[in-house]
Amino acid sequence: MKKILAITGCPTGIAHTYMAEEALKSAAKKIGVEIKVETNGAGGIDNAITDEDIANAIGVIIAADKDVNPDRFNGLPVIEVPVKDGIHKAVMLIEQIISGNAPLRNGATNNTQKSVPSNQQPVTQESIGRQIYKHLMSGVSNMLPFVVAGGVLIALSFLWGIYSADETNAQYNQFAALLMKIGGQAFGIMVPIFTGFIAYSIGGRPGLVAGFVGGLIANITGAGFLGGIIAGFAAGYLMLYVKKWLDRLPRSFEGLKSIFIMPLIGVFVIGAGMFLLGDPIAAVNHAMKSFLESLQSANPVLLGIVIGAMCSFDFGGPVNKAAYVTGTMLLGEGNFYFMAGVSAACIVPPFVIAFSTTIFRGKAFTEEERAAGIVNYILGATHITEGAIPFAAKDPLRVIPVMMLSSAIASVLTFLSHIQVPAPHGGFLVLPLVNKPFLWVACIFTGALVGAILLGLIRIHQNRQLTINNTI
């Protein structure tokens, strides 16, 4: 039976992935077509698309911000869009497939072979910026589990004291030292993982090898995330070029090419390049770190406003991830203050929704929205910012500024209070590790309450205006 195929995936693989899945399924049911949705979530691939599915597909919708192996659909009508379009434009995407106006996918370039009417946007051709973003997010997506697991284990070791892993200190505890060692190993390879999967997203398995080694050398030289980004893209595109160059060799050399020639060239070129560039990049990294730390002490209000606004600008998107990755980088350097502000800003949006739907219940929100508000208590407590997306999507011009203001207030208060959070994720689950846990919660709730009241008043005003318009 002919059907539409879809793939969803976001960098963290938590919220957007499954929201897009649900939106596409609901849209397909509404239109009356069959759809199969493969999700590329944090736990791996679910409901994987098979060769039989591909053979019976009338078209494919790829709503993803990470690499989902799109080349398997070459020759089929394919629409490739950001995951947010899968959430907000599901009906339009399905209608474009049904209408036959989707372009045929033709390899990495995804050449459009059919005209797409201007009113059938989004167009599926990807810009260079979009491709770069997807490769970066592929690295972030695969890095995050290492960051979270390693960072939390390191943070747990501090429960026995800040020097509990030091054998020469009175605070030394053997189990705490073990946690520190395990967490340190997991946390320590986040840059190689990040770099390797950027390269893998671009150049496949050969890119992964060269990228991983480039990331290791970025760690050794102090080039850090910036060096990792450079090494990842260089390794990926180098391997694409080398593979194309080696295609001239006879097929009998295929095994030698994949396990010897390509890894050797990639590792040597990227390794040598990173050793040459490592020191200059490390100097840039050090300057950035020093600037942020000086801003943290000299102007915490400005830093808090910037971080808070970034974290609530796109709720887990690229701007949010830029702030989060910066916090993670500084966390690896032993700066726990910055992550406290980032975490507070990320936790606030779902609490704004939760508090607002509770305080204003029947006056401003529907029964469905109040039910979603209850869920946001759990999402906020566990550092899942994406819980606010459905509310922001309905009225972005009003809701997003409220969220940015609320997160900025929480982040500023956190910096002014000199709060330290040594874990990169976990929300209130890591409160025992926070140096001033009750004050940190108070900072978060203060920002959230301000936003909740503003959001509630906005919704009441909107409802009144709607009532007036309906009576006229």
Side-chain angles (χ1 to χ4, degrees):
M1 182 178 178
K2 294 290 184 179
K3 58 186 173 184
I4 295 174
L5 303 179
I7 303 93
T8 65
C10 65
T12 54
I14 299 173
H16 290 70
T17 299
Y18 302 103
M19 291 169 67
E21 176 198 23
E22 186 61 32
L24 288 165
K25 285 183 176 178
S26 297
K29 184 177 180 180
K30 180 180 178 182
I31 295 172
V33 296
E34 184 179 356
I35 191 169
K36 178 175 181 177
V37 185
E38 173 187 293
T39 56
N40 288 248
I45 296 173
D46 290 323
N47 202 30
I49 290 171
T50 64
D51 291 341
E52 183 180 353
D53 292 326
I54 294 173
N56 293 319
I58 62 171
V60 184
I61 299 168
I62 300 178
D65 290 334
K66 60 192 287 189
D67 179 53
V68 292
N69 186 24
D71 287 344
R72 53 185 155 153
F73 305 117
N74 288 349
L76 285 175
V78 177
I79 304 172
E80 297 185 55
V81 295
V83 68
K84 65 179 182 180
D85 284 355
I87 299 171
H88 306 309
K89 301 179 181 179
V91 172
M92 183 185 298
L93 295 172
I94 290 174
E95 287 177 344
Q96 186 174 341
I97 291 289
I98 294 172
S99 69
N101 288 319
L104 295 179
R105 194 176 199 284
N106 184 23
T109 57
N110 194 13
N111 293 328
T112 301
Q113 296 181 3
K114 293 184 180 181
S115 61
V116 182
S118 59
N119 62 349
Q120 292 288 336
Q121 297 299 319
V123 177
T124 63
Q125 285 182 311
E126 289 189 313
S127 65
I128 294 175
R130 167 77 181 148
Q131 292 176 32
I132 290 173
Y133 169 68
K134 284 181 68 174
H135 299 320
L136 275 173
M137 290 301 104
S138 180
V140 170
S141 174
N142 287 282
M143 174 194 73
L144 280 178
F146 292 86
V147 171
V148 174
V152 170
L153 287 176
I154 291 171
L156 286 173
S157 73
F158 296 147
L159 289 174
W160 285 267
I162 197 71
Y163 302 109
S164 58
D166 184 357
E167 293 183 6
T168 62
N169 194 280
Q171 292 182 343
Y172 176 74
N173 178 279
Q174 191 172 3
F175 184 66
L178 177 63
L179 290 174
M180 175 64 79
K181 289 177 182 177
I182 297 172
Q185 291 299 315
F187 205 71
I189 61 170
M190 62 180 177
V191 172
I193 293 293
F194 175 62
T195 301
F197 278 95
I198 289 175
Y200 179 77
S201 178
I202 300 168
R205 188 171 296 176
L208 177 65
V209 177
F212 194 88
V213 172
L216 287 173
I217 297 172
N219 263 356
I220 294 170
T221 58
F225 276 103
L226 183 58
I229 291 171
I230 294 171
F233 279 98
Y237 287 113
L238 172 67
M239 287 297 96
L240 276 182
Y241 174 78
V242 170
K243 183 179 180 181
K244 185 176 181 180
W245 181 64
L246 291 176
D247 280 343
R248 305 170 186 173
L249 294 176
R251 295 291 292 177
S252 57
F253 284 85
E254 193 64 34
L256 182 67
K257 180 174 68 175
S258 60
I259 66 172
F260 179 72
I261 300 175
M262 292 179 70
L264 182 64
I265 294 173
V267 169
F268 173 73
V269 173
I270 299 301
M274 284 309 298
F275 272 119
L276 290 172
L277 295 174
D279 288 341
I281 297 172
V284 174
N285 263 340
H286 181 72
M288 290 171 58
K289 175 174 170 285
S290 298
F291 170 73
L292 287 171
E293 289 179 336
S294 65
L295 190 62
Q296 180 180 298
S297 57
N299 200 335
V301 174
L302 176 60
L303 181 63
I305 290 171
V306 172
I307 293 301
M310 288 178 69
C311 289
S312 283
F313 178 74
D314 54 2
F315 308 107
V319 178
N320 174 289
K321 285 294 179 289
Y324 181 78
V325 170
T326 302
T328 303
M329 177 183 70
L330 292 174
L331 194 64
E333 300 284 340
N335 183 330
F336 302 154
Y337 295 103
F338 197 91
M339 182 53 74
V342 172
S343 293
C346 291
I347 291 170
V348 162
F351 274 122
V352 170
I353 301 302
F355 289 160
S356 191
T357 53
T358 299
I359 296 169
F360 293 92
R361 292 189 65 79
K363 298 178 182 179
F365 299 97
T366 65
E367 184 178 347
E368 182 183 353
E369 288 172 331
R370 293 197 297 271
I374 294 172
V375 175
N376 271 276
Y377 278 110
I378 299 171
L379 298 177
T382 51
H383 192 146
I384 300 178
T385 315
E386 289 90 342
I389 290 176
F391 288 82
K394 291 178 182 178
D395 190 11
L397 294 180
R398 292 183 180 90
V399 176
I400 290 177
V402 168
M403 296 298 184
M404 292 170 69
L405 173 64
S406 306
S407 291
I409 290 171
S411 189
V412 168
L413 291 175
T414 298
F415 287 135
L416 290 174
S417 302
H418 302 287
I419 296 170
Q420 299 182 61
V421 175
H425 213 277
F428 291 167
L429 299 178
V430 300
L431 278 178
L433 312 174
V434 181
N435 67 329
K436 300 174 184 177
F438 297 110
L439 185 56
W440 189 51
V441 173
C443 294
I444 292 169
F445 282 0
T446 299
L449 281 170
V450 171
I453 293 169
L454 287 174
L455 180 60
L457 293 175
I458 289 171
R459 290 298 294 267
I460 289 173
H461 176 71
Q462 287 178 312
N463 290 342
R464 285 176 180 168
Q465 289 295 115
L466 185 61
T467 302
I468 292 171
N469 292 336
N470 289 337
T471 56
I472 296 175

